[in-house]
Amino acid sequence: MKRSTVKELLGATEIDREVLLKGWVRTRRGNNQVAFIAINDGTIIHSIQVVADLGSFAEEEMRRVTTGSSISVTGTLVESMGKGQSVEIQAKEIEVLGDSDPELYPLQKKGHSFEFLREIAHLRFRTNTFGAVFRIRHALAYAIHKYYNDKGFFCLHTPIITASDAEGAGAMFKVTTLDLDQIPKNEEGEIDFNQDFFGRQTNLTVSGQLEGELGALALSSIYTFGPTFRAENSNTPRHVAEFWMIEPEMAFYDIHDNMDLAEDFLKYLIKYTLDHCLDDLEFLNQMVDKGLLERLRFVLDHPFERKSYSEAVEILMKADKKFEFPVEWGLDLQAEHERYLVEEYYKRPVILTDYPRDIKAFYMKQNDDGKTVRAMDVLFPMIGEIIGGSQREEELNKLQNRMKEMDIPEDELWWYLETRKFGTVEHSGFGLGFERLIMFITGMSNIRDVIPFPRTPRSAEF
Ligand code: 4AD
Ligand code: MG
């Protein structure tokens, strides 16, 4: 007989038939005569109840049916008399596939803290909360590809190993095959990367944007969706050293087109999750964050506020609130400032534009005021910055001047500059942090709980 999943069985319209089910035992209740076994196989948040009349099963086998064990059940799918479920399985045959010692199994019935579950990240997928989070993560990954595919964008796989640190987005992880015990040095006493695998110094990428631009300046609209790496030593609930980023890049887009796309994209993803993952969202709304569904629907129903960085600084300076970090034109905004604007002042997502050029990357389009660039950050409730992007500088000489000012060597980026020499056009793009998106959509408050195996300072266990 073909195995049915819990999802298929709970959604079944046809009952009173033989079924085969395999999964893990969540709980077992009952008495000497009958056992009620809740089976979950991760295909859906709910478990299905298996009813076993103990008289008809070998005692030895039934003793092994404990929390955490895996079992195979053949039986009849019947209408359930119990509360809270529509169908259940009246078991005919039960086979234990894998034992689980109840004394040692770390997932007990009582609720565990997320901190504890991080220490057993290899097993936390078996909890309701993490099942929901990772099903939603999958749905969003799929929805992202669908969104761009339907819009005629091309998925471009940009390299993970790069030789340039152009973004300046943070410290980079080095990639090398040199023997660390015997690092070769040149005559000047510097590390001789000539002898390294690529014949030069290489790193893990902090962003696929620069290569993405090359694609957009031929294919019109592309997006990257891949892992990125930042070796900042920041232990916050919103940073990991390895995260996934979605970076669309569009030729013939100015910053307004870019903002329209970012808002439409985020709303599409929220709506997609509400339409396709409602039972997981309802669970999270009940167990993790009581305001979740309301917040998702609110963001969906309201236009994002669009303001300049300078306007935001003025509002923050007038705010009768003590911030930990200083507010002054020219300084970068901190999460506390971003969240004040979104949660207390505008009470909706905000897109800030035209940031001081000195706090932004070299490639952003320079405004005529000589002080600001066409940057845009999308700020979200609970999260702060969820998207960072800009219109790009398409004029060769302006780009070269800015690189000189910032000490970025032209010979490292000759290929990037060539796109401005040969048929340059206005273009724009942005980067959405995938984990920050999942935090917003699931209500999980720590980024370590929305990526299967988080990488943070001093932590790379699994
Ligand atoms: O603002 P960032 O640094 O922008 C870029 O990398 C641009 N190249 C994007 C582009 O224009 N194509 O990063 C973009 C987003 C942030 O808004 C944030 O959501 C996320 O990436 N992010 C992180 N997420 C988790 N952990 C970290 N350490 C992150 N750093 C950035
Ligand atoms: Mg940023």
Side-chain angles (χ1 to χ4, degrees):
M1 203 187 319
K2 190 175 163 287
R3 175 179 76 98
S4 301
T5 64
V6 175
K7 183 176 180 177
E8 286 162 355
L9 294 177
L10 290 180
T13 45
E14 201 190 320
I15 55 166
D16 295 322
R17 60 189 166 99
E18 284 274 285
V19 294
L20 167 65
L21 167 74
K22 296 180 184 185
W24 293 269
V25 175
R26 277 291 174 85
T27 56
R28 175 180 173 169
R29 302 177 290 114
N31 51 37
N32 291 337
Q33 275 109 50
V34 61
F36 299 100
I37 309 159
I39 304 283
N40 188 283
D41 65 0
T43 53
I44 188 170
I45 185 93
H46 312 290
S47 298
I48 191 164
Q49 173 159 286
V50 171
V51 185
D53 284 316
L54 291 177
S56 21
F57 295 93
E59 217 184 302
E60 182 53 22
E61 189 79 359
M62 286 311 290
R63 216 178 297 130
R64 294 166 59 205
V65 177
T66 57
T67 302
S69 62
S70 47
I71 67 173
S72 167
V73 180
T74 339
T76 316
L77 184 69
V78 296
E79 202 178 314
S80 175
M81 296 296 142
K83 269 204 318 213
Q85 67 237 352
S86 54
V87 291
E88 62 189 24
I89 297 174
Q90 197 70 51
K92 291 205 177 108
E93 274 169 52
I94 294 182
E95 184 196 343
V96 175
L97 303 173
D99 292 285
S100 171
D101 185 338
E103 302 279 305
L104 299 178
Y105 189 55
L107 291 174
Q108 300 303 328
K109 215 177 151 190
K110 64 175 166 59
H112 296 293
S113 72
F114 292 149
E115 287 80 6
F116 171 74
L117 291 171
R118 256 170 246 152
E119 290 168 18
I120 52 162
H122 56 303
L123 292 174
R124 67 178 176 169
F125 300 107
R126 294 191 189 183
T127 64
N128 281 331
T129 300
F130 287 93
V133 166
F134 291 113
R135 278 188 297 272
I136 290 174
R137 187 178 168 114
H138 160 78
L140 283 167
Y142 173 76
I144 286 163
H145 285 295
K146 178 166 167 51
Y147 178 81
Y148 286 117
N149 181 66
D150 291 354
K151 277 190 144 12
F153 284 53
F154 301 104
C155 177
L156 192 77
H157 295 124
T158 52
I160 288 171
I161 301 175
T162 66
S164 60
D165 174 20
E167 177 78 14
M172 303 182 90
F173 291 101
K174 295 186 173 58
V175 175
T176 182
T177 54
L178 291 178
D179 180 352
L180 295 185
D181 284 327
Q182 286 179 32
I183 297 173
K185 297 277 173 73
N186 62 18
E187 278 156 21
E188 284 86 55
E190 297 157 342
I191 299 174
D192 186 7
F193 285 108
N194 218 352
Q195 297 186 39
D196 205 347
F197 189 89
F198 297 105
R200 60 193 302 169
Q201 190 178 349
T202 52
N203 307 294
L204 293 179
T205 188
V206 295
S207 158
Q209 177 196 323
L210 300 189
E211 290 90 351
E213 283 186 50
L214 313 179
L217 293 173
L219 301 167
S220 278
S221 297
I222 64 93
Y223 68 104
T224 73
F225 186 175
T228 49
F229 307 87
R230 299 190 185 178
E232 305 149 280
N233 199 357
S234 47
N235 251 312
T236 82
R238 281 180 292 278
H239 290 87
V240 273
E242 176 181 294
F243 65 99
W244 289 66
M245 186 155 50
I246 301 95
E247 295 181 273
E249 192 69 37
M250 298 73 62
F252 319 113
Y253 267 52
D254 69 9
I255 193 165
H256 302 287
D257 304 321
N258 207 23
M259 286 193 276
D260 290 344
L261 181 73
E263 180 167 346
D264 185 64
F265 178 42
L266 288 166
K267 286 181 169 170
Y268 175 91
L269 296 176
I270 294 168
K271 179 155 186 342
Y272 186 92
T273 324
L274 285 166
D275 288 347
H276 293 87
C277 308
L278 193 57
D279 51 359
D280 285 326
L281 287 175
E282 276 169 349
F283 174 83
L284 294 166
N285 189 67
Q286 195 186 334
M287 301 303 288
V288 174
D289 178 349
K290 296 256 186 298
L292 177 63
L293 282 171
E294 200 188 331
R295 199 160 56 243
L296 295 180
R297 294 199 172 108
F298 182 86
V299 167
L300 209 52
D301 291 343
H302 292 81
F304 296 1
E305 197 70 42
R306 299 182 185 191
K307 291 282 181 255
S308 71
Y309 164 90
S310 301
E311 287 171 290
V313 167
E314 250 173 63
I315 288 161
L316 290 167
M317 301 228 283
K318 283 196 215 125
D320 66 11
K321 184 173 176 117
K322 267 238 137 318
F323 294 113
E324 194 187 328
F325 292 92
V327 178
E328 191 189 307
W329 199 96
L331 295 180
D332 209 356
L333 301 181
Q334 303 294 324
E336 58 169 346
H337 307 134
E338 296 172 340
R339 293 185 58 179
Y340 171 82
L341 292 168
V342 171
E343 290 165 27
E344 294 178 49
Y345 194 84
Y346 291 113
K347 296 199 162 61
R348 62 183 61 189
V350 179
I351 310 183
L352 292 185
T353 58
D354 304 293
Y355 280 71
R357 62 178 206 157
D358 290 336
I359 56 171
K360 290 293 184 186
F362 77 97
Y363 52 68
M364 296 192 181
K365 183 163 182 62
Q366 295 161 41
N367 283 321
D368 293 336
D369 64 9
K371 292 189 306 192
T372 59
V373 287
R374 307 237 85 185
M376 60 165 232
D377 278 8
V378 181
L379 314 179
F380 254 40
M382 316 295 284
I383 306 294
E385 180 192 333
I386 197 164
I387 279 180
S390 74
Q391 188 171 329
R392 319 305 189 190
E393 184 55 78
E394 82 274 21
E395 287 182 51
L396 180 64
N397 63 328
K398 286 193 183 166
L399 194 56
Q400 285 170 321
N401 288 342
R402 190 67 191 134
M403 286 170 69
K404 237 174 250 131
E405 283 170 4
M406 295 175 75
D407 279 329
I408 299 169
E410 266 192 40
D411 56 348
E412 257 184 41
L413 288 178
W414 64 272
W415 41 271
Y416 183 74
L417 290 169
E418 287 219 335
T419 53
R420 273 64 168 176
K421 282 184 199 157
F422 306 121
T424 191
V425 296
E426 179 174 86
H427 64 290
S428 300
F430 60 80
L432 168 65
F434 190 40
E435 284 73 23
R436 295 208 184 158
L437 169 76
I438 302 167
M439 285 175 77
F440 178 73
I441 289 188
T442 59
M444 299 296 280
S445 56
N446 194 310
I447 197 165
R448 293 167 181 80
D449 298 330
V450 298
I451 187 164
F453 300 105
R455 299 288 177 252
T456 51
R458 308 203 60 76
S459 163
E461 177 87 7
F462 302 94

